[in-house]
Amino acid sequence: MSDHVYKVIEVVGSSTKSVEDGIENAIARANETIENVEWFKTEEVRGSVMKGKVAYYQVVLKVGFRLN
Amino acid sequence: MSDHVYKVIEVVGSSTKSVEDGIENAIARANETIENVEWFKTEEVRGSVMKGKVAYYQVVLKVGFRLN
Amino acid sequence: MSDHVYKVIEVVGSSTKSVEDGIENAIARANETIENVEWFKTEEVRGSVMKGKVAYYQVVLKVGFRLN
Amino acid sequence: MSDHVYKVIEVVGSSTKSVEDGIENAIARANETIENVEWFKTEEVRGSVMKGKVAYYQVVLKVGFRLN
Amino acid sequence: MSDHVYKVIEVVGSSTKSVEDGIENAIARANETIENVEWFKTEEVRGSVMKGKVAYYQVVLKVGFRLN
Amino acid sequence: MSDHVYKVIEVVGSSTKSVEDGIENAIARANETIENVEWFKTEEVRGSVMKGKVAYYQVVLKVGFRLN
Amino acid sequence: MSDHVYKVIEVVGSSTKSVEDGIENAIARANETIENVEWFKTEEVRGSVMKGKVAYYQVVLKVGFRLN
Amino acid sequence: MSDHVYKVIEVVGSSTKSVEDGIENAIARANETIENVEWFKTEEVRGSVMKGKVAYYQVVLKVGFRLN
Amino acid sequence: MSDHVYKVIEVVGSSTKSVEDGIENAIARANETIENVEWFKTEEVRGSVMKGKVAYYQVVLKVGFRLN
Amino acid sequence: MSDHVYKVIEVVGSSTKSVEDGIENAIARANETIENVEWFKTEEVRGSVMKGKVAYYQVVLKVGFRLN
Amino acid sequence: MSDHVYKVIEVVGSSTKSVEDGIENAIARANETIENVEWFKTEEVRGSVMKGKVAYYQVVLKVGFRLN
Amino acid sequence: MSDHVYKVIEVVGSSTKSVEDGIENAIARANETIENVEWFKTEEVRGSVMKGKVAYYQVVLKVGFRLN
């Protein structure tokens, strides 16, 4: 197990609801095309504002997955 | 549109409830005195603790708005 | 009051639910063995993924408490 | 002269042409409403892309000016 | 629109002429194989020197594109 | 108290005497035009040199104040 | 040669033996599916511990390769 | 001597007088309960403001000591 | 398992031989007084020089362990 | 070739025209007194402002050269 | 004046008295062998501890001087 | 001893064998022309790749020496 190699990609998930929802959206999308997603790390939390309210959160993530 | 100039200010929103609520509070307050708020970026999430619980979250934000 | 000395420790709280819940778990645990916990600062939000969903959030915190 | 106080603001200039033009746009706009602008520092160079070309550069600047 | 997911890749563009030209080269090349490129962010500007002159600029970029 | 919003500005204080004096100068000046200044954070300590001696210290500060 | 474009990916190599071995493992694996790998940069050296010994090193790398 | 292991803790010293005095307060307090304190490194200089003056400096330090 | 809390300490291991040996020394020492050490992260690799050779490596580590 | 040692110095080039011109000025000057200059890396782009225009750009560079 | 080139060196000044005194010591020493020293920037403030007191401060500085 | 001044230079050592060997090469070379080299700090570990293997490691170091 110790000689596994992982790849890390950067994705941005967005959500009108919450930071956690933005993370889930990004990971669900990454999971559609890659296998063995194992972890994530939040790089940045930003967002868009309209009429004095958060329109949506944008969460920049590093996502790591094991290469076969 | 490409020659717009934006200003970025730093504000700290606080909330007893959640990180997202602290962000909304800061943006709502900024929106009272400035126009065209368009985006935010989270710089730091910190908070105050009382009796072993989070008393309130403090979210340091950069907030960007378009200058007319 | 101005000559108080504080100590800052680093802890990692985890939660299946939310970032805020991971913060609360870490602070509650720190509060079991140390007194006068006064503030925290989030250093990193990461997590574990299983089957395309967040299995749990891991929130790395600095936690500050006043030394008597 | 040594006891002067300066203020530093953050602005974002954009330009369809070049990084330098984005800097000039931001400084010209800042100069409309503040006096004694003396220096700038580039914080970030980013931009928008359309059809495989840079649509416009966005240059995030710190701009310093002397307070009277 | 708020639930879009973006991917961010890192590329290095080079040019004998200017920083902007290095950025354009990198984006044009990225655009050949990926769709919906929307933004870039400059990470580093470096270069090679020969006989006391810049031989070419190397611009390290993050490039973001929307996933369908 | 937990829902207060703070604003953070960046100022540079200078002094021929000491780092602390540069901080005091910057805060005294900020206090002339804004209310409720509550904290500061040092971002950078630099200075000017003449004839092999420090001519003046320049202290870059973030200064936070509570919005009413 | 000066107008080449490079892509940079992030991989994590692990090894029970040494940091260098973790780097070699990551590069060998990257080399299986991509051509023209030319350089790497170490981002982070971490590892897993069991019974008071390093079980394996994990080396996070940026790996750069030339695009044709 | 070369195989010594050191531990590094983080403390915050405060003082109404100066940065140096805040450092000395933090180290004196650390020295009450730990042995072999050998070095410190300043992480952050911040402070509290009252009526337009520094009420007290807070100096965040890493403090290193040799383990027996 | 997801609600575990971890503590992270900072230690400096030294070795006349190699970076890896410095890491092992630090972890072995940490393991003498704490249980459940699970991971480490290298913060800094520095060292002492004598007569143009490395006298010993000093590796600054974060070491994480699970709290019961 | 693999056992070459390089030295890296820090220089600041200035120009009234452009960032690239500031880089060329710094490298040309470094080349007058050192041999084998091979690469540069931009550390900071700042500048001086007069009457609402950039008076000159200042580009802080690391410049690397091979030692014989 | 705008086409001047500056060189920046890194020095460490120490003092048993204060941070400012360490800065002055470093600059005075640099001034012995180089001309046109114009500015400094503090990179790090650290120090040595003996018997629970600061034995001496070590201030890491960047020092800039104009090349003729 | 506390009023010594040190200078810090940046060098890059390379080696086909290991990170430690790259460090030794850089320090040995620095030692040829400067006296009193006392410490080093690793800034970056990178390298060149050929045919899927590390061709050589390049270790960027800060090297400190005492000025007489």
Side-chain angles (χ1 to χ4, degrees), chain A residues 19-60:
Chain A
V19 173
E20 284 84 348
D21 196 51
I23 294 171
E24 291 283 13
N25 285 346
I27 287 171
R29 180 62 182 81
N31 199 55
E32 286 178 22
T33 49
I34 55 180
E35 294 184 341
N36 306 318
V37 176
E38 293 198 0
W39 86 87
F40 71 93
K41 194 174 95 169
T42 306
E43 295 287 299
E44 195 172 273
V45 174
R46 49 194 306 150
S48 177
V49 176
M50 285 198 300
K51 300 183 183 172
K53 291 184 181 304
V54 175
Y56 47 94
Y57 295 94
Q58 293 170 305
V59 190
V60 184

Side-chain angles (χ1 to χ4, degrees), chain K residues 22-68:
Chain K
I23 293 172
E24 291 282 14
N25 286 347
I27 287 170
R29 180 62 183 79
N31 198 56
E32 287 178 21
T33 49
I34 55 181
E35 295 184 338
N36 306 316
V37 176
E38 294 198 0
W39 86 88
F40 71 92
K41 195 175 97 170
T42 306
E43 295 288 299
E44 195 172 273
V45 175
R46 48 193 307 151
S48 178
V49 176
M50 285 199 300
K51 298 183 184 170
K53 290 185 182 303
V54 176
Y56 48 92
Y57 295 94
Q58 293 169 305
V59 190
V60 184
L61 296 178
K62 298 269 185 151
V63 174
F65 56 100
R66 203 181 62 248
L67 295 172
N68 288 318

Side-chain angles (χ1 to χ4, degrees), chain C residues 3 7 9 20 23 28 31 34-35 37 41 44 46-47 51 54 57 59 61 63 65:
Chain C
D3 287 356
K7 190 173 174 193
I9 59 169
E20 285 85 349
I23 293 171
N31 198 55
I34 55 180
E35 293 184 342
V37 176
K41 194 175 96 170
E44 195 173 272
R46 50 194 305 151
K51 300 183 183 170
V54 176
Y57 295 94
V59 191
L61 297 178
V63 174
F65 56 100

Side-chain angles (χ1 to χ4, degrees), chain J residues 2 4-6 8 62 68, chain L residues 10-12 14-16 29 56:
Chain J
S2 60
H4 279 151
V5 175
Y6 298 81
V8 183
K62 299 269 186 152
N68 289 317
Chain L
E10 188 168 327
V11 289
V12 186
S14 44
S15 163
T16 56
R29 181 62 183 80
Y56 47 91

Side-chain angles (χ1 to χ4, degrees), chain E residues 48-64:
Chain E
S48 177
V49 176
M50 285 197 302
K51 300 183 183 171
K53 290 185 183 302
V54 176
Y56 47 93
Y57 295 93
Q58 292 169 305
V59 191
V60 184
L61 297 178
K62 297 268 186 152
V63 174

